[in-house]
Amino acid sequence: MAMLFCSCADNYKRVGDEAIKNIFPSGIAEDFTLTYTETNGEKEEDGEVVSRVVAVLKSAVSNDFDNLSFSYRTFPDGLKVEFFDDKGMKSTVTADFGIIYSKTNLIDLQGNVVIETEDGKKLEAPQIFWDRNNDWIFTQEKFKYTNPEEGTVMDGEGMDFNRSFSFLHANRTYGLMSIKEKKDD
């Protein structure tokens, strides 16, 4: 019986393609701040191009893995992103961990993810994905959505919506919701 237990050990030394490869970032930034701006291409009278701030991303640490064939950037110590719309209204996103996949423009936010809009709407979830190409946000995890304007608190599982929360689709919901009726005059 003792021989049976001794013979079950994995003494195989892994080499070549099956060996686990260490992956190191091509760059590490501390106190990372990225300001994303857009311009409409028009010039002012003095010849300067007018631009506006679209987003500001801040993180204690950013690891850049752009040296890989499927490049990405991680934020292992969390991140905070402030988004500004055309009118200067600010929305804030915070998370404990984040990954930005460069080639697919997909952002994976994990751990205590909170999205807050300037008008007080708030979404909380353990994980949220943001498709930057389509400006679409989604999760299959449990969530809590608070809308103080309508006096609603909605809990559920699975949700997708646009960044302004003007379109919202929840898969399974439960919670306190009030429905306003329009009066016909």
Side-chain angles (χ1 to χ4, degrees):
M1 189 70 131
M3 286 178 60
L4 179 65
F5 288 115
C6 291
S7 66
C8 292
D10 181 8
N11 295 325
Y12 182 72
K13 185 174 179 177
R14 303 195 187 287
V15 294
D17 289 342
E18 59 188 23
I20 298 173
K21 295 179 177 142
N22 291 326
I23 299 174
F24 299 101
S26 61
I28 299 172
E30 294 181 348
D31 296 324
F32 181 79
T33 300
L34 172 70
T35 303
Y36 179 72
T37 60
E38 285 183 348
T39 180
N40 60 8
E42 295 179 16
K43 292 184 180 182
E44 291 188 349
E45 291 177 16
D46 59 2
E48 290 188 22
V49 177
V50 179
S51 65
R52 70 176 187 89
V53 174
V54 176
V56 177
L57 184 151
K58 294 182 180 185
S59 179
V61 176
S62 172
N63 296 322
D64 185 357
F65 292 92
D66 281 343
N67 55 332
L68 303 175
S69 60
F70 190 75
S71 58
Y72 60 94
R73 178 180 294 271
T74 64
F75 302 92
D77 295 338
L79 60 99
K80 177 180 180 180
V81 184
E82 296 174 328
F83 292 98
F84 301 92
D85 66 10
D86 297 337
K87 298 174 186 169
M89 303 289 276
K90 179 174 76 170
S91 297
T92 305
V93 178
T94 57
D96 294 341
F97 181 82
I99 303 174
I100 298 175
Y101 296 100
S102 307
K103 289 189 177 183
T104 60
N105 260 335
L106 186 70
I107 298 174
D108 178 1
L109 301 173
Q110 302 172 19
N112 300 311
V113 181
V114 178
I115 301 174
E116 294 180 275
T117 61
E118 188 153 318
D119 61 357
K121 295 174 185 167
K122 183 176 180 180
L123 178 73
E124 301 167 82
Q127 183 176 29
I128 288 178
F129 295 95
W130 177 30
D131 178 351
R132 291 190 325 183
N133 289 338
N134 297 311
D135 210 15
W136 202 252
I137 303 167
F138 57 95
T139 184
Q140 292 302 314
E141 303 288 333
K142 290 185 177 184
F143 67 86
K144 179 178 182 179
Y145 175 68
T146 307
N147 186 345
E149 187 177 277
E150 296 177 1
T152 60
V153 177
M154 178 177 27
D155 295 301
E157 290 180 44
M159 166 186 267
D160 61 300
F161 53 96
N162 60 3
R163 197 172 76 189
S164 65
F165 288 105
S166 61
F167 178 85
L168 189 84
H169 175 263
N171 298 341
R172 184 183 312 161
T173 61
Y174 38 90
L176 173 65
M177 296 171 32
S178 61
I179 299 172
K180 293 183 180 180
E181 293 184 23
K182 292 183 181 180
K183 290 184 179 183
D184 294 329
D185 290 329

